[in-house]
């Protein structure tokens, strides 16, 4: 028996990893209703590789785009083609644990007011031990104002009507497409999260948006400005401190930018002068030291 879950996978030039993603969908203890792969203008045989897997699913559709429109727009195209009551997002270079669909569908059924359900993530690195990240069981829009407390798209199962009620992903976002979308979805009701690492994020540093500093900063700024128009003015100092903390992490973890990293950490202290902000500054300086020594 299949579910009423549509899986949407955007992909571009990923023939080496798309099978890993599809393998994880095929192994779900709750079989999905359909798989929709949106090929975002691949120049290799990625769409052909994906189409060969059609016999393993009740329905597999490959939508081929002549020109790249970006992952956010590709997800919207896939969602419009979906017929299931739920839309499960999966990035082509990630994967799911076998129980993910079953546990998320059950959690959404128990929480009819929740527009979206997340899971925890197993972050897999090439050269060090995997790390498991579990978001809180309930995340409100107010929580999302401070930071993306859920994570990326691979963690998400969304009610189809909620997806379109808020307008889907924002087209043209240079980064932070997921965070911006979660904020709007959380405006419909509290979001829920399975308290287990049911998604797998493979971190090898390749083709991640955080490697493009300019696009990362542009995306963050768009999200920050949208939050400042929604948030309670009394909470803005603490919110801006969290945003500066995030930028200091970006400058010190993914890029060696000592001056802006330190400036952002100090700005967080200025907005929210509490002991933990001093600890954050110390951590920023520590990350910069390690980055420099490596």
């Amino acid at each position: 028996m299949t579910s009423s879950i549509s899986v949407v996978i955007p992909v571009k030039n990923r023939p080496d990893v798309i099978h890993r993603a599809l393998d994880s969908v095929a192994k779900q203890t709750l079989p999905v209703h359909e798989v929709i792969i949106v090929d975002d203008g691949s120049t290799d045989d990625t769409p052909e590789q994906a189409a060969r897997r059609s016999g393993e699913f009740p329905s597999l559709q490959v939508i081929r785009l002549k020109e790249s429109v970006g992952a956010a727009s590709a997800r919207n195209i896939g969602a419009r083609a979906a017929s299931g009551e739920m839309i499960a997002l999966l990035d082509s270079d990630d994967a799911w644990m076998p129980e993910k669909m079953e546990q998320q569908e059950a959690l959404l059924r128990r929480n009819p007011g929740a527009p979206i359900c997340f899971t925890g993530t197993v972050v897999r690195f090439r050269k060090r031990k995997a790390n498991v990240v579990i978001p809180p069981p309930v995340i409100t829009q107010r929580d999302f104002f401070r930071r993306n407390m859920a994570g990326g798209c691979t963690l998400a199962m969304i009610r189809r009507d909620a997806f379109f009620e808020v307008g889907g992903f924002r087209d043209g976002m240079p980064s932070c497409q997921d965070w911006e979308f979660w904020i709007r979805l959380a405006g419909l009701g509290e979001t829920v999260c399975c308290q287990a690492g049911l998604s797998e994020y493979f971190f090898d540093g390749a083709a991640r948006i955080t490697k493009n500093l300019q696009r990362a900063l542009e995306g963050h700024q768009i999200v920050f400005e949208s939050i400042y128009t929604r948030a309670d003015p009394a909470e803005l100092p603490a919110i801006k401190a969290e945003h500066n903390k995030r930028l200091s992490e970006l400058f010190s973890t993914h890029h060696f930018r000592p001056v802006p990293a330190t400036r952002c950490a100090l700005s967080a202290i200025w907005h929210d002068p509490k002991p933990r902000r001093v600890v954050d500054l110390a951590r920023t300086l520590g990350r910069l030291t390690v980055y420099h020594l490596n």
Side-chain angles (χ1 to χ4, degrees):
M1 179 179 178
T2 60
S3 64
S4 185
I5 301 170
S6 298
V7 180
V8 174
I9 307 175
V11 63
K12 181 180 180 181
N13 294 336
R14 291 289 179 87
D16 53 336
V17 295
I18 187 64
H19 291 292
R20 180 177 64 197
L22 290 171
D23 285 345
S24 73
V25 178
K27 294 176 182 177
Q28 290 300 303
T29 55
L30 177 64
V32 302
H33 169 62
E34 63 184 353
V35 178
I36 300 170
I37 298 171
V38 183
D39 183 77
D40 191 27
S42 288
T43 56
D44 56 20
D45 68 341
T46 295
E48 289 79 12
Q49 291 278 349
R52 291 172 190 159
R53 306 292 298 270
S54 61
E56 301 174 41
F57 307 97
S59 174
L60 186 147
Q61 177 183 4
V62 179
I63 300 174
R64 302 188 65 168
L65 306 180
K66 293 182 179 180
E67 296 182 355
S68 177
V69 297
S73 296
R75 293 186 186 101
N76 288 338
I77 291 170
R80 286 195 290 270
S83 60
E85 295 177 6
M86 308 291 183
I87 296 173
L89 303 174
L90 175 58
D91 286 351
S92 60
D93 53 347
D94 293 336
W96 292 336
M97 298 299 188
E99 304 82 9
K100 182 177 186 288
M101 295 295 93
E102 183 177 2
Q103 291 199 26
Q104 284 191 293
E105 194 272 344
L107 187 55
L108 282 172
R109 189 171 60 249
R110 294 195 301 270
N111 294 271
I116 184 171
C117 176
F118 300 100
T119 72
T121 313
V122 180
V123 184
R124 300 198 182 280
F125 302 91
R126 280 182 174 176
K127 298 181 180 180
R128 54 191 175 99
K129 185 178 179 181
N131 183 34
V132 181
V133 180
I134 308 293
V138 175
I139 309 174
T140 66
Q141 187 183 58
R142 181 183 173 192
D143 295 327
F144 276 121
F145 286 165
R146 298 187 178 227
R147 61 188 178 92
N148 183 356
M149 297 185 68
C153 291
T154 292
L155 285 63
M157 180 184 288
I158 309 164
R159 297 187 194 275
R160 189 177 188 277
D161 56 355
F163 188 106
F164 291 106
E165 183 175 346
V166 300
F169 286 90
R170 177 170 170 170
D171 292 323
M173 281 285 290
S175 67
C176 301
Q177 302 99 332
D178 45 12
W179 187 12
E180 195 274 340
F181 189 33
W182 306 158
I183 289 171
R184 287 184 283 120
L185 280 168
L188 301 179
E190 292 181 336
T191 69
V192 292
C193 178
C194 297
Q195 297 297 285
L198 300 176
S199 302
E200 293 182 285
Y201 176 99
F202 294 86
F203 187 84
D204 59 8
R208 296 291 180 181
I209 192 66
T210 47
K211 290 297 181 180
N212 188 320
L213 179 59
Q214 186 59 38
R215 288 176 62 82
L217 292 175
E218 289 173 0
H220 278 83
Q221 193 58 44
I222 291 171
V223 175
F224 293 166
E225 292 301 327
S226 72
I227 290 170
Y228 300 154
T229 64
R230 290 182 169 101
D232 182 341
E235 296 185 5
L236 282 179
I239 289 172
K240 290 183 177 181
E242 283 295 312
H243 293 175
N244 275 280
K245 175 185 175 182
R246 168 58 188 152
L247 292 178
S248 73
E249 292 170 350
L250 188 66
F251 285 124
S252 61
T253 301
H254 301 285
H255 309 269
F256 185 64
R257 300 290 190 276
V259 173
T262 305
R263 183 188 302 123
C264 287
L266 290 171
S267 182
I269 296 174
W270 185 84
H271 282 292
D272 187 31
K274 294 180 180 177
R276 70 173 182 270
R277 302 301 175 192
V278 178
V279 174
D280 291 339
L281 171 62
R283 288 173 176 168
T284 294
L285 296 176
R287 285 192 298 268
L288 289 169
T289 300
V290 171
Y291 199 114
H292 177 68
L293 292 177
N294 288 341

